[in-house]
Amino acid sequence: MIQRPQTLFLALAIIGNAIATSGISIWQKIGTSGQKAELFSNQWQLFQNGKEVAAHSNIAIALLVTLSTVITLVTIFSFKSRMRQMMLGLINSLVLAGAMGYAFWVIFKEAMPTFEPEIQGKYGYGFYALVVSLLANMIANRLIRKDEMLVQSSNRMR
């Protein structure tokens, strides 16, 4: 149901997922000699003096975030079964954590060592959108659990 607060947090998670996969940078690093590495949800690119030198595909981040969006939509429309919602929320948290973990792996094991490993780079709006999605999903899970506990306590009173 739309008026429930957990639905609003799940909608926020969907918006965060959409931002993360919309082509906004998740991470970028600019070197001192004109080199630039940039990670998006579907690939990371290496630039030299403004020209693309290499592009490496990593479609797994985009697939995991898309799977998270589908799970979130199913969670929203499973409002009659709070236990199913809690299970889907847990699975969704694991999928989002997997997407963030894979993004970290790509950053630290593939993209960062290509040039000047001592420069860390900076995280973009796409990364922060993933963090917002994960936090919104966790808050929605807490609210769903709170609803279930309220229903169970009212059942005991009958």
Side-chain angles (χ1 to χ4, degrees):
M1 300 178 73
I2 297 300
Q3 68 266 22
R4 292 174 37 198
Q6 55 264 35
T7 305
L8 298 176
F9 282 103
L10 290 171
L12 182 62
I14 290 174
I15 292 169
N17 289 345
I19 290 171
T21 58
S22 67
I24 295 176
S25 175
I26 294 175
W27 174 84
Q28 72 176 0
K29 174 171 100 168
I30 299 173
T32 56
S33 60
Q35 299 158 323
K36 180 179 174 184
E38 197 163 11
L39 172 67
F40 298 100
S41 63
N42 59 352
Q43 67 179 354
W44 70 273
Q45 299 172 328
L46 184 61
F47 296 96
Q48 179 70 38
N49 296 327
K51 294 182 181 180
E52 184 178 332
V53 176
H56 305 276
S57 176
N58 60 337
I59 196 80
I61 296 172
L63 289 176
L64 287 171
V65 174
T66 304
L67 177 65
S68 170
T69 303
V70 170
I71 292 171
T72 304
L73 286 171
V74 171
T75 303
I76 289 174
F77 292 110
S78 296
F79 57 88
K80 291 186 180 184
S81 174
R82 282 176 294 281
M83 294 306 284
R84 181 183 305 145
Q85 277 188 318
M86 286 191 288
M87 180 193 64
L88 288 171
L90 174 68
I91 292 169
N92 196 12
S93 293
L94 293 174
V95 169
L96 280 170
M100 291 178 65
Y102 185 69
F104 278 127
W105 185 79
V106 169
I107 290 169
F108 288 109
K109 294 295 183 186
E110 292 182 10
M112 193 180 293
T114 55
F115 64 92
E116 300 175 16
E118 64 276 358
I119 298 176
Q120 296 294 314
K122 64 177 187 169
Y123 295 101
Y125 292 121
F127 178 78
Y128 295 118
L130 286 174
V131 171
V132 166
S133 294
L134 185 61
L135 290 176
N137 186 52
M138 292 170 67
I139 292 170
N141 288 345
R142 287 187 62 96
L143 292 172
I144 292 167
R145 187 175 69 219
K146 191 176 178 181
D147 267 3
E148 180 63 20
M149 290 185 343
L150 180 67
V151 168
Q152 297 225 349
S153 71
S154 68
N155 282 344
R156 276 185 250 140
M157 289 183 186
R158 286 192 220 176

